[in-house]
Amino acid sequence: MSRISDRQQTMGHQRGSVIILVTLSMSVLLSFIALSIDAGYVLYNQKRLQAATDAAALAGAADLWNSPFATAQTNAAAYSAGQGKNTLSSNVTVSPASITGLQLVNAQLPAAGAVSKFNGIQVVQQATVPLYFAKILGFASMQITATSKAVAGGGAVPTKYNVMILLDTTGSMNTTDTNCLGANNKPMTRLQCAQQAAITLINNLTNAGDNVGLMTYPPLATNTNFSCNSKQSIASSYSAVAQGVVTSGATYQVSGLSSGFLKNGQVNTTSSIAQALGAGGCSGIQAIGGLGTYFTQAIFSAQAALLSMSQSQSPPGQNVIVLMSDGDESSSQSQLGNTYKSQYGSECKTSVTAANTVKQTGTQIYSVAYIGGGSTSAPCSDGSSDLTPCNTMQQIATGPSYFFSDTCPNAAGGSVNLNTAFKTISYALTKPRLIPPNAM
């Protein structure tokens, strides 16, 4: 009997030990589950906070190029956590976002050319997340932090752009530019340099649905859509083109607005605009001269083509004119013709007035003053203007960040070559981008 009793007593002790172990194990397991719930809650709010700082950085970066930094800060703050519907959990305490401007060296848009004087933005925000089960271990809350950086883009505009490029093809564009070297390391003509820069522009316009066209001045005698076999002939005078006329008779248009300039992400060398710019083995448009410089009506014709396109779109795209010229208008009264000869002596002022009229409709104008190392202080050659070519091109532009030049000291980012200017413009027509950690 004593053996049975001893065995029963031993089994009783074992059962007691198992119950204790199970109880301890369950306690540890429940603690892990509880802590996992707290950790999941923290992670959920961390992701929400990061998403908010990303949105805030992108919103602010959209304003850096064209607006004061105060505007960028205000719009960034509006997208930060805790603002509007962009909230975290109700019991999470969110601190105000810290928003600072960045002057990035390797960004495509130069900080010096931005209205805000910054080409990047950083948003840092913190939040305090309450803990529930971790209180048992003495942890009542946890602080989380999210940081986001974004590089500037051209602004919060419709995703579709309608871009008309206006190039000078007067006789002076046959002048060699020693600062613009071709593939063989030999200087190109100013027109060849302009064509190369325009190719850079369209190659960087990768948004699906963008439309790009090309106009030149002086006007052509007949309307044509350029191809390698096209032969150019200049109109008898600028009056051969009535104001706003785009598609009939004499015209400034070389290639109409179209989205076919890209193919598989590269310049489509079979497109009219690419061939006009010398791609695909074509020599492209020529600077055959015949008339002096006068681009007031070219601006109006570009605007007419853009409005015709945008008014057929739903929603309307953003209209853009990219005007390249030396800014010095020099046509004679006979070259202006009967319609425009009254503007002789004030062509530079008239162009500025035309640009201001166009800008009031919402069309953005980028101007590129291609002075070629010439004087930046000499007055326009129109005879009685108090404007210089640099002043003229600056006033034609939508704002300081829309004005570029190879020579003019007051241009965005200082003096730059044509290729850099057009590449910067193409980037300004894209969206701001987030910067990966430690990328810049």
Side-chain angles (χ1 to χ4, degrees), residues 34-46 88-94 127-136 138-144:
L35 292 174
S36 296
I37 293 173
D38 274 347
Y41 187 58
V42 170
L43 181 61
Y44 167 77
N45 283 285
Q46 177 69 57
L88 302 185
S89 302
S90 59
N91 54 355
V92 175
T93 304
V94 182
T128 302
V129 181
L131 303 176
Y132 298 97
F133 301 101
K135 289 181 179 179
I136 300 172
F139 300 101
S141 63
M142 178 175 287
Q143 189 175 72
I144 56 177

Side-chain angles (χ1 to χ4, degrees), residues 33 46 54 56 58 68 86 89 107 112 115 180 186 290 343 345 363 381 418:
I33 293 173
Q46 177 69 57
D54 288 346
L58 287 171
N86 197 13
S89 302
V115 173
C180 188
K186 292 184 179 180
Q343 297 178 12
T363 297
S381 299
L418 278 191

